[in-house]
Amino acid sequence: MLVQNSEAMALSAALLAVAGDLTRRIHEGVAARGFEGLRPAHGFAFTRLAPDGATVTDLAAHLGVTKQAASQLVDELVRKGYAERRPHPGDARARLVVLTEEGWACTRAAEEAAAEAVRAWGEVLGEPELRALRASLPRIVPGGPIRPAW
Amino acid sequence: MLVQNSEAMALSAALLAVAGDLTRRIHEGVAARGFEGLRPAHGFAFTRLAPDGATVTDLAAHLGVTKQAASQLVDELVRKGYAERRPHPGDARARLVVLTEEGWACTRAAEEAAAEAVRAWGEVLGEPELRALRASLPRIVPGGPIRPAW
DNA sequence: AGTATATGGTCAACCTACTTGACCATCAGG
DNA sequence: CCTGATGGTCAAGTAGGTTGACCATATACT
């Protein structure tokens, strides 16, 4: 029992360390590609806006914050030229927030940075272990929202 | 290349989702065991204080914040009865922050909550995959500090 | 149709965790 | 001893979030 708990803590600590490292690497990689003044929270917003845009309320639910906070975040993205608010087709109350071309470029930069980080893992672990990770992790929290958690 | 990037994103997203889920489960598990009013950041502080205590400056470095912020966090832990400041043996400037008995109880609660979460993973993945995870993850960021990262 | 209620969004005020800057006490090296 | 570096706190400012009030539009119910 004591051993089991300490094993669980070791696994948990390693996971959180890797997650922290990944977040930092993506953030730095994005900044290094010229997209500055962005925080990780913006990245999580991008993942929701990317496909077809989203409403402020959708975004708030995705990020786990109030819609007021989400609205402020959108303000910031709009001010910096990464997103824009358009009228919502089929609901005059709502507004559809979509990425600008600059927003898409930033999304691609984040993907490149993530790929770099994952390549670094591959060099340490080797291909088979990396594939095992790729197979295991998505099964743990299947539909899990990707958002800041602490 | 496009495939590689999107694979990397899928792996990254899964990892962040698992990390977020783990953080949430530990937090809720600790609260469910009667330790309320604690944020995840406090947990990260506990992991540093646990062995033999630490100075405020040590703690600040561990958490990646200023020593003033660390000091405020210690104030809070002291006020809630989880830690206490003692004179530092061998350095009259410094003060050693150590866990109280309540602090140790909370640490054990966090370990139990983490063990519960990991057990849930085991039920989804099966023992072999879980062991593979336990073997792989610590190799990615060997000495990585466990701290909030976004 | 007509009213009532729910929903999307914003404005304003407040809260909290963190920062920067100044400062004091103590340590360590000449 | 001085002198600079280090551990720690106090005070004030900032950033990102919250709660609460409010308007416009959509949806449901007679």
Side-chain angles (χ1 to χ4, degrees), chain A residues 42-68:
Chain A
H42 294 127
F44 296 108
F46 278 42
T47 67
R48 183 66 182 78
L49 298 178
D52 299 304
T55 66
V56 165
T57 300
D58 288 341
L59 195 55
H62 180 74
L63 295 176
V65 298
T66 60
K67 54 186 182 177
Q68 293 91 325

Side-chain angles (χ1 to χ4, degrees), chain A residues 23 129 134 136 139 148 150, chain B residues 7 23 129 136 139 148 150:
Chain A
T23 303
E129 279 190 55
R134 172 70 183 85
S136 295
R139 294 173 49 211
W150 55 63
Chain B
E7 280 293 300
T23 303
E129 279 190 55
S136 295
R139 293 174 49 210
W150 55 66

Side-chain angles (χ1 to χ4, degrees), chain A residues 16-93:
Chain A
L16 293 176
V18 174
D21 185 66
L22 175 63
T23 303
R24 187 181 52 75
R25 282 184 193 237
I26 292 179
H27 183 252
E28 289 174 0
V30 167
R33 284 169 177 79
F35 301 92
E36 299 190 18
L38 288 175
R39 284 163 292 122
H42 294 127
F44 296 108
F46 278 42
T47 67
R48 183 66 182 78
L49 298 178
D52 299 304
T55 66
V56 165
T57 300
D58 288 341
L59 195 55
H62 180 74
L63 295 176
V65 298
T66 60
K67 54 186 182 177
Q68 293 91 325
S71 186
Q72 287 179 13
L73 193 144
V74 170
D75 282 344
E76 212 180 328
L77 290 180
V78 169
R79 204 179 328 119
K80 299 189 175 176
Y82 294 114
E84 59 184 17
R85 296 186 216 250
R86 315 181 131 215
H88 193 292
D91 190 338
R93 296 170 303 175

Side-chain angles (χ1 to χ4, degrees), chain B residues 17-43:
Chain B
V18 174
D21 185 65
L22 175 63
T23 303
R24 187 182 52 76
R25 282 186 193 235
I26 293 179
H27 184 251
E28 288 175 1
V30 168
R33 284 169 176 79
F35 302 93
E36 301 190 14
L38 288 174
R39 283 164 290 124
H42 295 127

Side-chain angles (χ1 to χ4, degrees), chain A residues 5 7-10 12 15 18-23 40 111 114-115 121 124-125 129 133-134 136 139-141 148-150, chain B residues 5 7-10 12 15 18-23 40 111 114-115 121 124-125 129 133-134 136 139-141 148-150:
Chain A
N5 278 2
E7 279 294 298
M9 279 308 275
S12 300
L15 181 79
V18 174
D21 185 66
L22 175 63
T23 303
E111 286 177 0
W121 302 356
V124 174
L125 297 181
E129 279 190 55
L133 228 54
R134 172 70 183 85
S136 295
R139 294 173 49 211
I140 296 179
V141 264
W150 55 63
Chain B
N5 278 3
E7 280 293 300
M9 279 308 273
S12 300
L15 180 78
V18 174
D21 185 65
L22 175 63
T23 303
E111 285 176 1
W121 301 356
V124 174
L125 297 181
E129 279 190 55
L133 228 54
R134 172 71 182 87
S136 295
R139 293 174 49 210
I140 296 179
V141 265
W150 55 66

